[in-house]
Amino acid sequence: MTLATEPSVTEPAPPEGADGADTGAPSIGGAPMTNFDAPETPGGRSRTRVVVGHLTLAVLGLACIFPIYWLYATSLRRPNDVYEVNPLPWPLSVDSYRTAIDEIDVLRLLLNTTVVAVLTALGQLLTSLLAAYAFAAWNFPLKRLLYLAFVGSWLVPFQVAMLPNYVLLHQLGLLNTLSGVIVPNIVSGLGVLLLRQHLDGFPKELLEAARMDGRSSWSTLWTVVVPNLRAALAALGILLLVNAWNEYFWPALVLQRHNDVLQLGIRSFMSSTEGDDWGPLTATAGLACLPIFVIYLVLQRHVVSGFVRSGLR
Amino acid sequence: MSRITVENVTRRYGDVRAVDGVSLDVAHGDFLVLLGPSGCGKSTLLRMIAGLVPPSDGRVLVDGRDVTETPARDRDLAMVFQSYALYPHLTVARNIGFPLRTRRQRRAEISARVAEVADILDLGKLLDRRPRELSGGQRQRVALGRALVRDPGAFLMDEPLSNLDAQLRTATRTEITELHHRLGRTFVYVTHDQVEAMTMATSVAVLNHGRLEQVGTPTEVYDTPASAFVAGFLGSPPMNLLDAEVVARDGRLHAVAAGVDVPLGLGDPGQQGEPGKQGEPGEQVRRPAVLGIRPEHLSLRPAASDGAAPEATLRGTVRTIENLGSEEIAHCRVGAAEVAVRARRPAGFTVGEAVVLTVRPEHTHLFDRESGRRLVWRPDRDAPIPAARVPVAT
Ligand SMILES: Nc1ncnc2c1ncn2[C@@H]1O[C@H](COP(=O)(O)OP(=O)(O)OP(=O)(O)O)[C@@H](O)[C@H]1O
Ligand SMILES: [Mg+2]
């Protein structure tokens, strides 16, 4: 025989050599497999836990979805059936939608609402981005105080600022206009707050690298910061858009009797004398919800990743 | 084509002086390494040169032009960051081309230049990847490429190798040195790794607590450290520093402490060569000082055979022995101090053994106990005096 080498893992000692058999090179083949069916009880316990967890989540999920389902179910019943409690609306009918479209100019309202919501959200996004960038990238006098002012504007209840804003709009002649709805909401304290959190986690060296590479701070914002903040911006944008879309009270105040946005259009089916007209009301509400659902479905990935992923890397 | 001068630059953060009155002159084509422990202000100094941090005091000059108030982008300097700071949303090619796109060059020109740089750095196959799809070493090269592409007057680098593994670090070290030779540009390079400093630099500036301890070639800094701090920072293990007293005996100066009696070779041998002259004024000199001896300058003489040792020296016992492969390091207790000895293996140490260590007089260093500055012999004085404060490098 030649010189014996130490038994290695890749080349087990040949079984026919007497010495090799004694050293008993570990058989790697079968050993780990035996461990697989060992932990039986822990697996069973965790399964019940999983089932209970899923059940709880399912119940909560149903509780969230049910009112929305009921809204659409009611809107699809025949006008005489709106007080039915049968969970399945049958026979189906789009009469309520027809009534809604006949009585109020749903398309115009939809357009107006879209304009208001999109402009408000975009404006808020832009101002938040600029403010948050300033807070995160520079030190300047009164920085903390200014930041607190932003946070404060978010904490102050709407009702407190409502009347002064209303008076100001009146003086500016913006009452009963869509601009009157949009302009006072162009800055969002919440947006500044959230974006600053994101930007504080933004690697400072990237900003410095851009400076060394010759970019101005404005160009750095658009070529370095924004592309890397897309997820956060998308998430915040959707949040702001949904908020703006669902706004009811402020448009009601500014637009007074004009039913210029969908949310106010719903009002016209509410009546204290004849009782609410549930069919068209739910139909309009259902229409008002649709764009948000669509946006959410399209951008879902961004929304989730924006909230889950905190930073860049 | 850049000569970088820093004049008395200070940067304060509240009460902290991150950089404290530093003056440096980096000649065109020099490779200056800023060396020092963590938090000593290396990065801050580099950022002030770059224009990313304004100095609280002092001036920064590039080619004699005062750029203290000039924005970073107009200084013609490129920087490589420790984290590489690659733009995560851009491909390698666009990362490298980023500085050029700022300068509004034509697209064809840019891609030609990017291809050229990618070729130098062997990045050709990676041009379409994003930074997160690269290994650490590849990212480092992209960062280097982004600096190279502009062909700046000087390169500033902040610990560019610290995120690489040991092997890659050695390889990249060589590459950067070659790059320096090829480009002939000025490099200012921050590191806390003395091996990088010794191997790459044409001159080393050692910083401590924001102050400049010494500037000089790697050889000067290693062989004649200007302060106990520099002596104790360089070398592995670093120089042994022992509290001792300087006394004059037999016509020459000795450093004496418990277990220590070392004849000194101070300053220039020409002035020192005649012991008679030197001893006379100093008969009663007793001066507290710090004795410094590099571990590799100590040699072993077994205690038993020391009967006739004329320059008997350090006596102690071996505590531990470290085997480094080709060499070994013995840690000995001498009096109250620890002394490391470094010698080719086998050096013949045994743990617990009593040893006598000898050192040649010219390999001894002496530092002031209070200020830590190096002491040199001035024949016209009674006692050793501190060397002049670190001169500004030229
Ligand atoms: N922006 C800052 N605000 C406050 N203190 C700072 C700031 N930047 C640096 N310092 C302080 O200045 C000192 C020097 O910091 P610097 O980053 O220059 O050290 P360094 O030598 O680069 O260290 P390291 O090797 O760890 O990178 C440190 O004490 C640090 O805390
Ligand atoms: Mg640093």
Side-chain angles (χ1 to χ4, degrees):
Chain A
M1 265 184 87
T2 51
L3 271 178
T5 53
E6 288 185 43
S8 71
V9 186
T10 45
E11 283 181 308
E16 64 267 21
D19 288 351
D22 275 358
T23 49
S27 84
I28 354 157
M33 300 301 289
T34 54
N35 288 340
F36 261 79
D37 36 6
E40 212 163 321
T41 27
R45 205 185 299 150
S46 76
R47 187 168 300 160
T48 39
R49 206 182 288 167
V50 166
V51 169
V52 170
H54 276 85
L55 271 179
T56 318
L57 288 178
V59 168
L60 283 177
L62 279 179
C64 289
I65 289 174
F66 181 74
I68 298 168
Y69 170 76
W70 201 251
L71 173 82
Y72 282 105
T74 308
S75 73
L76 287 170
R77 288 178 212 278
R78 287 179 305 186
N80 290 337
D81 296 349
V82 289
Y83 291 108
E84 289 262 348
V85 287
N86 180 2
L88 275 182
W90 199 259
L92 288 176
S93 143
V94 289
D95 282 356
S96 298
Y97 286 86
R98 232 175 252 141
T99 319
I101 290 171
D102 285 348
E103 288 199 13
I104 59 175
D105 190 351
V106 171
L107 281 183
R108 188 179 61 84
L109 297 193
L110 200 62
L111 187 71
N112 282 347
T113 314
T114 310
V115 166
V116 168
V118 167
L119 287 184
T120 308
L122 279 182
Q124 289 177 342
L125 209 54
L126 185 70
T127 51
S128 304
L129 181 65
L130 294 177
Y133 183 50
F135 279 124
W138 285 280
N139 280 318
F140 45 86
L142 301 183
K143 178 169 162 174
R144 286 174 65 92
L145 196 70
L146 273 174
Y147 186 60
L148 280 179
F150 271 103
V151 177
S153 80
W154 174 55
L155 292 177
V156 169
F158 165 74
Q159 287 78 356
V160 175
M162 177 178 79
L163 281 180
N165 273 344
Y166 184 86
V167 172
L168 195 63
L169 282 187
H170 175 72
Q171 287 164 355
L172 293 172
L174 287 176
L175 284 182
N176 292 318
T177 66
L178 289 182
S179 322
V181 184
I182 298 170
V183 171
N185 281 326
I186 213 79
V187 177
S188 154
L190 175 68
V192 178
L193 201 85
L194 286 180
L195 269 190
R196 189 189 172 184
Q197 294 303 318
H198 271 280
L199 271 173
D200 276 346
F202 195 87
K204 289 280 173 301
E205 291 203 332
L206 274 187
L207 302 181
E208 291 178 342
R211 256 169 91 188
M212 292 302 296
D213 288 343
R215 297 281 154 127
S216 62
S217 51
W218 178 253
S219 153
T220 303
L221 173 64
W222 297 108
T223 57
V224 175
V225 176
V226 168
N228 285 305
L229 221 57
R230 264 187 315 217
L233 286 172
L236 179 62
I238 290 164
L239 193 76
L240 295 174
L241 186 68
V242 173
N243 273 350
W245 187 277
N246 290 341
E247 191 62 66
Y248 171 81
F249 200 79
W250 179 245
L253 199 68
V254 176
L255 299 178
Q256 295 172 336
R257 304 210 173 283
H258 300 249
N259 295 333
D260 269 344
V261 294
L262 261 186
Q263 286 67 11
L264 297 187
I266 296 172
R267 236 181 8 189
S268 49
F269 299 110
M270 298 181 185
S271 153
S272 47
T273 48
E274 302 156 35
D276 300 336
D277 195 352
W278 283 109
L281 193 153
T282 51
T284 318
L287 286 176
C289 292
L290 275 184
I292 297 295
F293 290 153
V294 172
I295 287 171
Y296 188 80
L297 281 181
V298 173
L299 297 177
Q300 190 184 24
R301 204 169 49 88
H302 280 296
V303 183
V304 174
S305 72
F307 284 117
V308 172
R309 281 196 332 191
S310 52
L312 268 173
R313 280 186 271 184
Chain B
M1 303 292 148
S2 285
R3 168 183 168 172
I4 297 171
T5 315
V6 164
E7 283 180 2
N8 211 11
V9 154
T10 297
R11 173 70 206 193
R12 283 180 291 267
Y13 288 110
D15 288 342
V16 183
R17 283 166 175 262
V19 173
D20 193 359
V22 170
S23 296
L24 277 172
D25 191 4
V26 194
H28 166 65
D30 253 10
F31 195 122
L32 176 82
V33 167
L34 297 175
L35 180 67
S38 188
C40 70
K42 309 179 293 288
S43 298
T44 309
L45 181 55
L46 193 74
R47 272 151 202 274
M48 287 193 285
I49 296 174
L52 297 172
V53 171
S56 318
D57 249 319
R59 302 199 303 162
V60 178
L61 294 92
V62 174
D63 287 331
R65 188 168 60 98
D66 188 341
V67 294
T68 316
E69 306 291 328
T70 311
R73 64 166 177 271
D74 299 329
R75 295 191 184 194
D76 193 25
L77 307 170
M79 183 143 165
V80 177
F81 293 85
Q82 181 173 0
S83 67
Y84 310 144
L86 302 179
Y87 307 113
H89 61 295
L90 298 177
T91 60
V92 167
R94 292 181 68 80
N95 257 291
I96 296 179
F98 193 85
L100 300 182
R101 287 201 296 284
T102 312
R103 275 144 229 266
R104 305 207 179 284
Q105 298 198 5
R106 282 219 314 274
R107 199 173 288 184
E109 260 170 57
I110 292 178
S111 46
R113 181 81 186 118
V114 169
E116 198 180 319
V117 167
D119 202 41
I120 296 177
L121 294 171
D122 204 14
L123 287 169
K125 292 204 178 66
L126 306 173
L127 285 177
D128 292 328
R129 299 223 198 144
R130 312 245 158 188
R132 67 169 163 277
E133 297 158 355
L134 301 176
S135 74
Q138 291 165 340
R139 283 179 209 185
Q140 202 275 338
R141 305 162 92 79
V142 177
L144 218 51
R146 195 174 60 190
L148 278 179
V149 80
R150 274 169 48 193
D151 195 19
F155 293 90
L156 312 177
M157 305 193 178
D158 194 350
E159 310 205 24
L161 305 186
S162 63
N163 292 333
L164 304 181
D165 67 44
Q167 228 173 348
L168 203 53
R169 202 179 302 178
T170 314
T172 317
R173 214 163 65 202
T174 323
E175 274 175 44
I176 293 182
T177 310
E178 277 169 10
L179 214 55
H180 174 239
H181 287 313
R182 169 139 50 127
L183 300 171
R185 293 281 184 269
T186 313
F187 279 55
V188 181
Y189 184 104
V190 164
T191 183
H192 58 252
D193 181 345
Q194 47 169 310
V195 179
E196 283 174 26
M198 295 299 292
T199 53
M200 303 170 87
T202 58
S203 81
V204 178
V206 185
L207 289 169
N208 183 27
H209 292 306
R211 298 185 139 269
L212 194 57
E213 291 276 337
Q214 183 173 10
V215 195
T217 64
T219 317
E220 282 167 5
V221 173
Y222 190 83
D223 290 347
T224 48
S227 69
F229 172 81
V230 176
F233 189 73
L234 289 171
S236 69
M239 188 182 282
N240 296 301
L241 297 169
L242 304 143
D243 281 348
E245 289 210 311
V246 180
V247 298
R249 174 163 24 91
D250 311 333
R252 64 188 309 184
L253 294 172
H254 292 245
V256 179
V260 180
D261 188 341
V262 177
L264 297 172
L266 286 177
D268 184 351
Q271 296 168 338
Q272 273 250 278
E274 304 135 81
K277 257 189 188 174
Q278 184 194 84
E280 276 165 3
E283 276 308 325
Q284 338 59 354
V285 171
R286 283 192 89 84
R287 189 189 200 287
V290 175
L291 171 68
I293 307 170
R294 293 239 173 251
E296 63 269 29
H297 289 148
L298 283 165
S299 47
L300 173 74
R301 179 180 305 148
S305 71
D306 94 298
E311 304 196 54
T313 43
L314 281 70
R315 291 157 191 279
T317 45
V318 180
R319 306 283 296 249
T320 54
I321 300 172
E322 285 169 17
N323 179 359
L324 301 184
S326 65
E327 295 183 314
E328 66 186 31
I329 294 168
H331 296 275
C332 307
R333 176 148 292 259
V334 173
E338 282 285 339
V339 170
V341 186
R342 182 174 178 142
R344 189 168 282 281
R345 209 162 63 92
F349 293 110
T350 323
V351 174
E353 185 191 30
V355 287
V356 176
L357 304 165
T358 59
V359 59
R360 304 241 298 274
E362 64 267 32
H363 285 151
T364 56
H365 307 258
L366 210 56
F367 303 99
D368 186 55
R369 201 161 307 162
E370 312 249 287
S371 68
R373 306 306 303 176
R374 183 181 190 82
L375 298 174
V376 293
W377 179 253
R378 293 271 171 78
D380 54 329
R381 300 278 183 84
D382 284 356
I385 55 142
R389 270 206 81 85
V390 217
V392 174
T394 46

